[in-house]
Amino acid sequence: ILNVEQSPQSLHVQEGDSTNFTCSFPSSNFYALHWYRWETAKSPEALFVMTLNGDEKKKGRISATLNTKEGYSYLYIKGSQPEDSATYLCAFPSGGYQKVTFGTGTKLQVIP
Amino acid sequence: DADVTQTPRNRITKTGKRIMLECSQTKGHDRMYWYRQDPGLGLRLIYYSFDVKDINKGEISDGYSVSRQAQAKFSLSLESAIPNQTALYFCATSDPDSQETQYFGPGTRLLVL
């Protein structure tokens, strides 16, 4: 079982604050790193797929960076809004058939 | 219409009963997965199937079985349900053209009494 770790486990921020959290993964045999957003009572939806060391992806106020050599990715949210409240999951496809291992997620709550 | 559907959405059953959770997809993906979600443990893989003839155990397959009836259908069975199988179950497909990005169904909430 691969070790895909996310920190912090949960986070409360005020509306308008910027925040970031971390996903760490095995640095050997890297294939890709996914970020998903999971709102309460819904199912996870893909945010970013990252494949290259140094990749930076952006969607609105949310961005992510990737360091494959040291095995980590950061997700940043600029100017958090209440609708950003969700659990953010990272996932790591690996092995010959690229089976996906999920981290336990960071639960973000944005307080109005 | 949703690309990945699951039935039922909620189910209450008793210890020892056999139940089946069904998943259908219209995305045309060969790869399908069953996960369970427990608070604090994230998503854990039960079984996965890379095509109709290829079925593999995930990290927590004990007590479960699956059937891949067609490219579009992948069902999960609990042969004799027990209370610690109470969880939220997700079916997913993946797209090899986007590095196995997962597309999830809406989930089935199962309570075993």
Side-chain angles (χ1 to χ4, degrees):
Chain A
I1 296 174
L2 293 177
N3 207 17
V4 180
E5 295 185 347
Q6 292 187 246
S7 62
Q9 199 169 24
S10 66
L11 198 53
H12 291 75
V13 301
Q14 292 292 135
E15 182 175 353
D17 286 351
S18 294
T19 188
N20 67 85
F21 21 95
T22 307
C23 172
S24 62
F25 51 87
S27 55
S28 58
N29 298 316
F30 180 82
Y31 175 66
L33 191 282
H34 304 161
W35 281 100
Y36 294 83
R37 172 192 165 91
W38 189 1
E39 293 180 72
T40 302
K42 295 187 178 180
S43 44
E45 292 187 352
L47 268 176
F48 301 118
V49 177
M50 309 186 78
T51 56
L52 297 175
N53 186 42
D55 243 0
E56 182 168 345
K57 301 267 179 149
K58 191 173 181 182
K59 188 178 287 188
R61 293 178 291 96
I62 304 177
S63 61
T65 60
L66 178 68
N67 183 323
T68 61
K69 294 182 179 178
E70 295 183 34
Y72 65 83
S73 176
Y74 293 137
L75 190 80
Y76 299 91
I77 302 179
K78 185 177 177 182
S80 302
Q81 299 296 308
E83 58 265 30
D84 296 328
S85 297
T87 296
Y88 292 84
L89 295 172
C90 68
F92 184 69
S94 64
Y97 290 103
Q98 310 307 346
K99 184 168 58 70
V100 176
T101 301
F102 282 85
T104 54
T106 293
K107 185 171 183 177
L108 173 67
Q109 186 165 354
V110 181
I111 303 161
Chain B
D1 287 343
D3 294 318
V4 184
T5 57
Q6 292 181 234
T7 56
R9 294 293 311 277
N10 294 281
R11 179 75 185 267
I12 300 173
T13 192
K14 294 182 179 179
T15 297
K17 294 289 188 182
R18 182 182 189 276
I19 66 162
M20 181 182 289
L21 309 183
E22 299 189 354
C23 177
S24 294
Q25 55 114 345
T26 58
K27 297 192 76 67
H29 292 160
D30 286 325
R31 299 185 174 190
M32 297 187 73
Y33 308 79
W34 276 103
Y35 295 94
R36 69 177 272 178
Q37 194 264 332
D38 299 277
L41 293 178
L43 286 167
R44 292 184 293 164
L45 184 62
I46 307 172
Y47 269 95
Y48 59 105
S49 170
F50 285 162
D51 65 40
V52 174
K53 295 181 182 178
D54 179 32
I55 292 178
N56 304 279
K57 292 182 178 181
E59 58 182 295
I60 53 163
S61 58
D62 287 348
Y64 301 95
S65 62
V66 290
S67 173
R68 185 80 185 267
Q69 299 94 327
Q71 187 203 40
K73 294 185 182 298
F74 191 36
S75 58
L76 176 72
S77 295
L78 285 67
E79 297 301 327
S80 178
I82 55 176
N84 78 359
Q85 291 177 313
T86 293
L88 180 59
Y89 290 85
F90 284 103
C91 173
T93 71
S94 70
D95 180 5
D97 292 337
S98 65
Q99 288 74 39
E100 306 305 340
T101 298
Q102 308 272 293
Y103 296 87
F104 289 88
T108 294
R109 193 167 293 279
L110 176 66
L111 174 61
V112 183
L113 299 174

